Amino acid sequence: MPHRQASIEIGLNAVIVSVSNGMPQIVHVNDTVGSPLNGLPFGPFDPIRHRTFDIGLRAWVEEQTALRLGYVEQLYTFGDRGRHRVAGDEGPHVVSVGYLALTRQTPDSEETLSKHNSAWHSWYDYFPWEDWRSGRPALLDNEILPALDAWAQEPPAAGEPPRPLARSERIHLAFGTGTTSWDEERALERYELLYEAGLVQEARTDGRAAAQARGDLPFLGVPMRFDHRRVLATAISRLRGKLKYRPVIFELMPETFTLTDLQTSVEAISGRHLHKQNFRRLVENADLVEPTGATSTATGGRPAALFRFRHQLMSERPAPGLRVGGGR
């Protein structure tokens, strides 16, 4: 019998991030084909029209969203067999190149997004345990950690590959339990553990044995189509890490801003509350911004000084960022 050649389609998934009203928001797309789940924006790569993936991504994002992307970074290539859950894998296999894209919301972006069945959505709706700005999320101690601890005691599933670390050790590292502390950059590791333990809806949809063996699953954030929540978790981890050694936060800021605006945006991305004076000292020591001489009265209180990003900083030192973070 001749060997059947699988057909491959290459697409581009975009995690398009902005900060609005103190929330990190992403563009999500509603499925018009019948699925109740949201997904990330997706566009085909057309090598005839676009010389590179990056050019193709920017072209269809601007066409579909009216957003002009600033910083764009390739995340990972997602190509596991069955990732689009085509029955029997008889259809073309979709390999998706994931991208992190930063932008600022525009007055006409909402209208254009709605025409493409899309909208802005807080990423903490998908990952509520990642938002520590008001303290440790109760979901961790009420649902997630008890379920993971029980899973750690279960015998390995048939065919489960050996790992250098035990389940309990991986939980400690990812979720900052025991002697370890919470690391906001481990968002992807946390989601993948929840998926492996069968605690998120995507694991059940994908037919994972650990999820099929459970009764009702706890509500651990809004599920997404295919592996899109994994793509989003990858972007969150990447952006939180990048924040510490690259000035990417300014891709999400207007041209001028107050230091309070800047702090709110950094807190939104990192998921951490930052002490006001410590944050201002950090910004001053990093020499990231310069005063414009103007003030803002948008808050209704005392006029606040307006600042802008020091673009010449990029030629002065190799790793200008905001080293926020630390244990809780």
Side-chain angles (χ1 to χ4, degrees):
M1 179 182 295
H3 179 69
R4 182 174 62 87
Q5 296 293 323
S7 58
I8 301 290
E9 290 183 2
I10 296 179
L12 307 174
N13 270 120
V15 180
I16 304 172
V17 180
S18 71
V19 175
S20 179
N21 298 320
M23 276 294 177
Q25 300 195 2
I26 62 162
V27 173
H28 76 88
V29 180
N30 294 317
D31 191 355
T32 57
V33 185
S35 170
L37 302 178
N38 297 332
L40 295 172
F42 178 87
F45 172 63
D46 185 347
I48 296 176
R49 292 180 56 204
H50 306 126
R51 180 172 55 84
T52 67
F53 286 170
D54 186 285
I55 293 173
L57 178 82
R58 291 178 183 274
W60 68 255
V61 165
E62 185 169 352
E63 177 182 310
Q64 293 184 20
T65 68
L67 296 169
R68 296 186 63 86
L69 301 182
Y71 180 89
V72 168
E73 176 180 347
Q74 190 175 129
L75 291 169
Y76 188 74
T77 299
F78 300 85
D80 292 352
R81 186 163 60 90
R83 63 180 298 269
H84 271 215
R85 296 192 298 278
V86 177
D89 272 355
E90 294 298 326
H93 181 62
V94 179
V95 174
S96 180
V97 182
Y99 274 84
L100 167 65
L102 307 183
T103 190
R104 301 162 188 161
Q105 294 188 21
T106 60
D108 58 343
S109 68
E110 286 280 3
E111 181 180 353
T112 305
L113 285 173
S114 66
K115 292 178 182 177
H116 291 272
N117 215 35
S118 305
W120 292 104
H121 210 112
S122 167
W123 77 27
Y124 291 126
D125 289 340
Y126 303 102
F127 300 95
W129 60 87
E130 293 291 336
D131 189 359
W132 286 60
R133 290 174 296 173
S134 297
R136 181 182 178 89
L139 184 65
L140 284 170
D141 299 308
N142 294 343
E143 296 280 0
I144 291 176
L145 291 176
L148 286 175
D149 288 341
W151 170 70
Q153 305 305 316
E154 297 172 4
E160 182 176 328
R163 295 179 180 272
L165 295 178
R167 288 177 176 177
S168 58
E169 293 175 300
R170 293 163 58 206
I171 294 168
H172 290 329
L173 287 173
F175 285 87
T177 62
T179 59
T180 58
S181 58
W182 180 269
D183 182 348
E184 64 271 15
E185 292 182 45
R186 293 183 181 268
L188 176 59
E189 294 175 49
R190 288 187 280 273
Y191 175 73
E192 291 190 326
L193 269 174
L194 293 170
Y195 178 91
E196 185 182 339
L199 294 170
V200 291
Q201 186 61 48
E202 288 90 337
R204 175 165 288 175
T205 307
D206 291 350
R208 298 279 300 199
Q212 302 295 352
R214 299 186 184 279
D216 294 335
L217 296 179
F219 179 75
L220 301 184
V222 178
M224 300 182 83
R225 292 201 303 274
F226 311 137
D227 56 358
H228 288 195
R229 202 156 38 146
R230 182 184 176 215
V231 179
L232 176 54
T234 305
I236 292 172
S237 287
R238 181 72 62 84
L239 182 53
R240 285 176 167 181
K242 192 74 71 173
L243 196 71
K244 298 175 183 178
Y245 61 91
R246 287 287 183 271
V248 291
I249 191 64
F250 297 103
E251 298 285 352
L252 303 169
M253 302 298 299
E255 289 299 322
T256 62
F257 46 84
T258 68
L259 291 184
T260 297
D261 294 336
L262 181 61
Q263 179 175 342
T264 298
S265 295
V266 172
E267 290 176 332
I269 297 298
S270 67
R272 288 185 171 278
H273 172 70
L274 303 171
H275 187 274
K276 180 177 180 180
Q277 295 306 320
N278 289 346
F279 177 79
R280 297 196 173 203
R281 192 176 303 114
L282 179 67
V283 171
E284 290 172 2
N285 291 341
D287 206 20
L288 292 170
V289 300
E290 60 187 7
T292 65
T295 59
S296 170
T297 57
T299 61
R302 189 171 61 181
L306 287 170
F307 292 80
R308 58 177 164 247
F309 172 57
R310 288 185 62 246
H311 289 279
Q312 63 268 33
L313 185 71
M314 300 302 294
S315 61
E316 294 175 0
R317 62 178 188 269
L322 287 165
R323 298 191 178 277
V324 297
R328 277 183 183 267

